[in-house]
Amino acid sequence: MAKKKQSFEESMQRLEEIVDALSAGSLPLDDMMKLYEEGKTLSKECLAQLEAYEGRLEAVAPDGAAEKTEA
């Protein structure tokens, strides 16, 4: 069964949990590495989602409108 893709918000929430757990520093090294790897994967997925949304915004925004909001 395929794993359901998390929403951006769910991924960000999980990333916050991972950062908190890693920051506490009380986990065994093996567990810390697993969380770090999960965090890297989530980070890449979030970035890809943001880039996709950016592309969608550029597609529907009038020419130059997206540039004005970046300032």
Side-chain angles (χ1 to χ4, degrees):
M1 179 178 213
K3 185 178 176 181
K4 180 188 168 224
K5 186 171 181 155
Q6 294 182 343
S7 70
F8 178 81
E9 293 78 11
E10 291 170 329
S11 295
M12 287 300 296
Q13 175 64 37
R14 180 61 183 145
L15 274 172
E16 289 177 18
E17 293 169 1
I18 290 170
V19 168
D20 289 343
L22 291 174
S23 296
S26 58
L27 296 171
L29 183 58
D30 190 50
D31 292 343
M32 290 177 74
M33 286 302 302
K34 289 177 185 174
L35 284 176
Y36 177 80
E37 291 168 345
E38 180 184 354
K40 288 291 285 186
T41 299
L42 285 171
S43 176
K44 289 177 183 178
E45 290 173 2
C46 286
L47 181 59
Q49 285 179 314
L50 287 174
E51 289 172 346
Y53 284 126
E54 182 179 22
R56 287 174 60 189
L57 283 173
E58 290 173 357
V60 297
D63 289 343
E67 294 173 9
K68 291 177 185 175
T69 61
E70 292 178 7

